[in-house]
Amino acid sequence: MSRRHTGGGNDGRRLGRRQWLSTLGVGGATALAGCSGIDGDGGGDGGDGDEASGGSGSAGGDVELGDFPRFGVGDLYGQAVARDLAARAFDRSDHEYGFDGDAMINPDGDRVEVGLVHVAGAKTNRLTAEFIARELGDNLGMSVAVDAMDSARFRDDYWLGESAEGGTDTVNGEEVEWSDPNPNNPGPRSVTSSEPWDMSVVYGLNTYPLNPSTNGVFFDGADARYNPVGYYPQFDVTGLFERARRATSRDELQRTFVEIFENLAREQPYVMLLFSADLIGYDPDLVGPSENFSNGWDSGQWHFDEPTISGSYDTVTSSGYSTLNPLYNTKDNADDAIGRALDQGYTFDENQDFFPLLYDMSTEDGDVWTFDVRENLRFSDPYGRVTAEDFVYAIRELHQTDWANTDAATDWEGVEVERTGELEFRATLPTANLLWPETYDPLMYPVPRGLVEPYVEEKDAEGLREDEALSELRFAGNLGAFRLDEWERGSGVRYTRNDEYYLRDIQEGPDLFSEAPLFEESTISVVEERASRLGALETGAADAAAVPPEQFESYTESESVTARQIPTPFNSILSVNQRDNGWNAGPGNLFRHVPFRQALSAAISRDELISGVYRDLAEPHFTWQPRWSEFYPGEE
C-alpha cells in the first residue's frame, strides 16, 4: 500500500537543538522564581523593578501581583489593572505620558501610536496580531497599526542587529561590557537593527523544557547570546543560572529554575501569550504517532495496519532544502530530510528519558561524560566501521575550529575531548552539567574522518560545505532507516528501505525495532499549497498533514483522519523592542519599564485569544515553561 504524506512540515519531534526561534502561524508542523525590587537599570531612560503591590500610579496603585503573576486572566486582566500598571510606568519615566479620557497620550498630547508586525500569509499569526491590537486599544487606549511582513525581511532588517558593535552600558548600577556581540545581541540598547520597529508576533522562542539551563542563551544577563529586544533583567539572573549549573541534584535544579521563571513571569521580558501544539492529521491506518513531545522518537516501529514491511511513508514540506550536509543543516528543517538516512547520537523517549541511538552517555557528577559508541555501526565504503575517533576528530578539527564554522561550533566551546578506546571517548565540561544531553549540545551526526580530513588539512570550509558525498549522504552506510536515492532541490527527496539498519540489532527499545523500518520506501515532496496538502489528507492520499486550528475540530470527527495535538517547545509571545529604535510613539521607551510590559500583558485576554483565534487548542502562557515540563513552577 503506497501512501502520501502531505504536511506543512515534518513527521516527528526532531527538535533542532540550535533552533532558538520558530516563525509563528505559518500553518505547518515543526521539525521531527523569587523577586527583587531593584530600581533603575541605567539604560538610557531606564527601567525598573516592581513591587508586589502598591505603587504611585494615578489609577490607584491597588493591583496585587504576588510571586507568580498570571497576567491576562482573572483579576490581572482588563482595563483597570492594565491602566494602573501603565500609570506606574509613567511615574518612572522621565517623560510626561498619561491618559486623556480613553486615549494614552505622549508628552506632546498626541495619542500613542505603535506598530505591530506579523508574518505575511500566516492567517493565525495575523489574527493574533489583530486581536492584540484591539485589546491594547480597548484597555490601554493605544493606537496599534498591524503590518504584514515577510519573515526573512523582518529577521534581516528589523530583528537582527545592523552590526555587532558591542560596547558597555550601566545595568542595575553596574557597568556591563558586551564581550562577544553577535547579530542576535549586537550590544547595548544603543546598538540597533537597521530598521526601527515597536512590537512583533513573528517569532516564538524555544523554551527548552528538558533542560531550562539552556534558557541562559536568552536571559543570562543583558549581554546574553540571544537578546535582539535589548532586555535588561532586574534580578540576579546570572547568579541563579550559575547556581543551576553547579546544582548536584534535580531537586536543586528545579528550585533554582522556579526562582528564575517566577522572576521572568513578573518582568515579562517578552509578553507571554500562550503555548500551542502542532496540529497534525494522520491517516487512521498509520500506527505509531502519539500526542507527546517526543512523538516520532520510535518511528522505526511505525507501520500501516499490521506490523509488516510494506508501503511507502511519504511526507511533504512547503519549501525545499538548500543543503543536506549534516555539518551545516540548521535551516529549512533539513534535519528531517537528513534524519531519514542518518541518525544522530541519541533521542528521548515518550517519558522524556534519554535513549541511545549511535552512542550512550553516562556521568557521575555532570563534569566528565563518557560516550560509548555502538559496535555495529558502519559507514559506506570505503570508510568502514564507525569509531570513537570519527567523533573526536570531528569535534576537535571541525566543531572546535574557527575556519570550519560548523553549526555545532558553539556546542563544543571549552569542552575537552579525548579518545579512551576504540569505541569510547570522554568529554570534560568547563562547568558541570547534570542535564548536558538535554541541551542537545552533545547531539551529533557521524561523519567519517577519512572523508573530511582533506578539507581539514587545507582548512577548506567552502569545499567542506559543498562536498557531494556529505550533502547527498553517500557515506551513511547502515546509520539510517533509509538510503537516500535522489535529491532534487526543487521537488524533494526519495528514499528506499535500508535493510542493514543498525537499529535492528540493538537490545533496547520496542520489539518492532528488530524489523525497522516497516516501510519499503519514503519520500519528502515539496508542495507549496496548503489546500493541496489538506485535500490529499482528506482523500486518503496522504499519511499526515498539518491542520489549521479552524479545521481541527472537523477532522477529529472524521473517520478518514486521526487528528492529534503534538506539544512543541515553542511559545507564542509579543516581542517588544527595548532598544533605541523601539517605541516610535514619542520620547523615551516605555517598553523598558517592567510595569509597562506588565500592563501590556494584563491588557490581553488569554482566554479570549485562545478561544477566538486558536479555537481552544492552546494553553495560557504565564512563565517560561509549558505545563508538562518538570520545571514548570506549578500552581501553588
Side-chain angles (χ1 to χ4, degrees):
M1 178 183 296
S2 177
R3 301 177 185 267
R4 298 272 171 190
H5 171 129
T6 58
N10 303 325
D11 60 309
R13 300 298 324 138
R14 295 186 181 275
L15 174 64
R17 60 193 183 282
R18 289 174 295 278
Q19 189 175 345
W20 291 345
L21 74 169
S22 175
T23 305
L24 297 177
V26 294
T30 60
L32 230 193
C35 306
S36 86
I38 301 173
D39 289 328
D41 64 3
D45 64 328
D48 49 44
D50 185 62
E51 303 84 358
S53 63
S56 58
S58 59
D62 57 354
V63 176
E64 298 285 345
L65 298 184
D67 290 336
F68 180 17
R70 291 164 172 79
F71 293 108
V73 299
D75 293 339
L76 289 184
Y77 166 69
Q79 184 179 100
V81 63
R83 293 191 175 216
D84 182 285
L85 292 167
R88 298 183 192 186
F90 300 159
D91 287 347
R92 289 157 172 77
S93 175
D94 294 333
H95 306 278
E96 295 295 327
Y97 285 90
F99 292 106
D100 183 6
D102 290 335
M104 181 187 296
I105 58 172
N106 65 19
D108 293 331
D110 299 323
R111 188 178 185 185
V112 165
E113 297 182 355
V114 294
L116 173 57
V117 179
H118 68 85
V119 183
K123 181 179 179 181
T124 300
N125 195 239
R126 172 179 60 80
L127 292 175
T128 298
E130 292 172 350
F131 177 86
I132 291 171
R134 288 194 299 271
E135 290 284 85
L136 296 184
D138 292 344
N139 293 325
L140 280 174
M142 302 168 66
S143 175
V144 181
V146 175
D147 295 308
M149 189 178 298
D150 176 77
S151 59
R153 181 183 174 221
F154 180 76
R155 179 193 66 229
D156 294 340
D157 296 338
Y158 294 79
W159 187 252
L160 300 179
E162 182 174 16
S163 60
E165 297 179 9
T168 61
D169 202 357
T170 302
V171 180
N172 298 334
E174 297 184 0
E175 193 80 357
V176 174
E177 179 180 0
W178 274 252
S179 58
D180 187 24
N182 69 88
N184 289 298
N185 190 353
R189 289 168 167 171
S190 58
V191 184
T192 66
S193 57
S194 60
E195 298 289 343
W197 63 281
D198 298 314
M199 303 184 296
S200 86
V201 288
V202 172
Y203 293 127
L205 301 185
N206 193 335
T207 61
Y208 293 102
L210 299 185
N211 182 4
S213 65
T214 311
N215 285 279
V217 74
F218 305 127
F219 304 123
D220 193 357
D223 63 339
R225 182 170 180 78
Y226 192 95
N227 190 7
V229 300
Y231 164 60
Y232 288 0
Q234 298 295 302
F235 62 104
D236 185 18
V237 63
T238 297
L240 289 172
F241 273 115
E242 180 63 22
R243 185 200 303 173
R245 284 188 283 268
R246 296 184 181 277
T248 57
S249 70
R250 295 182 79 91
D251 286 344
E252 185 179 357
L253 277 170
Q254 189 169 38
R255 290 194 300 271
T256 304
F257 288 138
V258 165
E259 190 169 350
I260 292 172
F261 295 136
E262 285 185 349
N263 272 286
L264 294 176
R266 292 173 61 83
E267 294 195 4
Q268 294 284 311
Y270 299 84
V271 175
M272 295 180 255
L273 299 175
L274 54 88
F275 278 102
S276 59
D278 283 344
L279 307 177
I280 304 180
Y282 290 99
D283 187 301
D285 292 333
L286 179 63
V287 180
S290 62
E291 293 182 334
N292 188 285
F293 175 68
S294 294
N295 179 47
W297 81 272
D298 60 346
S299 58
Q301 70 165 350
W302 287 17
H303 59 274
F304 294 118
D305 302 317
E306 299 298 325
T308 58
I309 299 169
S310 64
S312 177
Y313 184 68
D314 306 327
T315 70
V316 301
T317 182
S318 59
S319 60
Y321 309 110
S322 59
T323 182
L324 298 184
N325 187 324
L327 298 173
Y328 304 99
N329 68 304
T330 57
K331 294 183 179 179
D332 306 321
N333 290 328
D335 55 339
D336 180 54
I338 295 170
R340 301 287 176 92
L342 186 68
D343 280 352
Q344 298 185 75
Y346 59 88
T347 187
F348 294 94
D349 66 18
E350 71 275 8
N351 298 314
Q352 317 313 327
D353 293 330
F354 179 94
F355 186 88
L357 292 174
L358 304 181
Y359 48 75
D360 200 356
M361 296 178 61
S362 60
T363 187
E364 291 185 0
D365 54 10
D367 183 27
V368 178
W369 288 81
T370 299
F371 292 67
D372 291 299
V373 181
R374 289 194 187 274
E375 297 181 354
N376 62 333
L377 306 181
R378 297 285 189 280
F379 290 120
S380 302
D381 291 338
Y383 303 111
R385 189 182 192 186
V386 180
T387 69
E389 178 62 21
D390 294 297
F391 290 105
V392 172
Y393 188 84
I395 294 168
R396 288 178 173 175
E397 304 299 335
L398 296 175
H399 304 320
Q400 292 184 331
T401 62
D402 294 332
W403 68 268
N405 195 28
T406 67
D407 290 338
T410 58
D411 299 341
W412 295 95
E413 291 179 353
V415 180
E416 297 180 5
V417 293
E418 61 175 330
R419 185 172 63 84
T420 53
E422 184 180 12
L423 298 174
E424 181 185 280
F425 64 100
R426 185 174 299 158
T428 302
L429 307 187
T431 304
N433 190 340
L434 292 172
L435 299 179
W436 192 38
E438 286 85 349
T439 67
Y440 296 92
D441 286 353
L443 184 63
M444 290 185 288
Y445 288 112
V447 293
R449 172 173 176 166
L451 175 56
V452 300
E453 194 165 20
Y455 300 111
V456 171
E457 292 174 352
E458 298 295 328
K459 295 185 178 180
D460 182 4
E462 183 178 358
L464 189 68
R465 284 180 178 272
E466 296 180 356
D467 183 273
E468 291 185 358
L470 287 171
S471 60
E472 296 180 5
L473 306 177
R474 297 176 186 172
F475 64 90
N478 73 344
L479 305 179
F482 297 92
R483 298 186 186 277
L484 192 155
D485 292 333
E486 185 180 15
W487 171 36
E488 294 185 5
R489 287 160 174 76
S491 58
V493 193
R494 300 188 65 85
Y495 311 82
T496 55
R497 183 175 185 270
N498 189 343
D499 295 331
E500 299 176 356
Y501 189 29
Y502 77 93
L503 200 66
R504 299 171 65 183
D505 297 322
I506 70 171
Q507 301 301 313
E508 308 94 323
D511 291 341
L512 287 177
F513 274 7
S514 63
E515 300 293 331
L518 297 178
F519 306 110
E520 294 177 340
E521 298 176 340
S522 181
T523 70
I524 300 175
S525 301
V526 177
V527 177
E528 297 181 356
E529 298 81 10
R530 186 177 74 177
S532 298
R533 299 194 291 266
L534 293 176
L537 175 67
E538 294 162 1
T539 59
D543 299 329
V547 174
E550 63 271 19
Q551 293 179 248
F552 186 80
E553 184 177 357
S554 65
Y555 284 122
T556 62
E557 300 172 352
S558 171
E559 294 183 357
S560 62
V561 174
T562 298
R564 299 187 184 278
Q565 300 181 57
I566 312 298
T568 84
F570 295 101
N571 55 18
S572 292
I573 52 178
L574 173 67
S575 299
V576 293
N577 187 2
Q578 297 156 60
R579 294 186 175 273
D580 282 357
N581 67 344
W583 189 255
N584 296 283
N589 187 334
L590 289 181
F591 292 142
R592 293 178 178 176
H593 296 284
V594 170
F596 194 75
R597 299 196 297 270
Q598 293 174 341
L600 296 175
S601 194
I604 304 167
S605 170
R606 304 304 187 272
D607 293 338
E608 293 181 19
L609 174 60
I610 289 170
S611 63
V613 175
Y614 285 82
R615 309 299 176 96
D616 292 322
L617 298 170
E619 289 188 340
H621 181 21
F622 303 119
T623 189
W624 212 253
Q625 293 290 279
R627 291 177 183 270
W628 53 265
S629 168
E630 69 174 294
F631 302 104
Y632 182 78
E635 303 298 330
E636 296 298 326

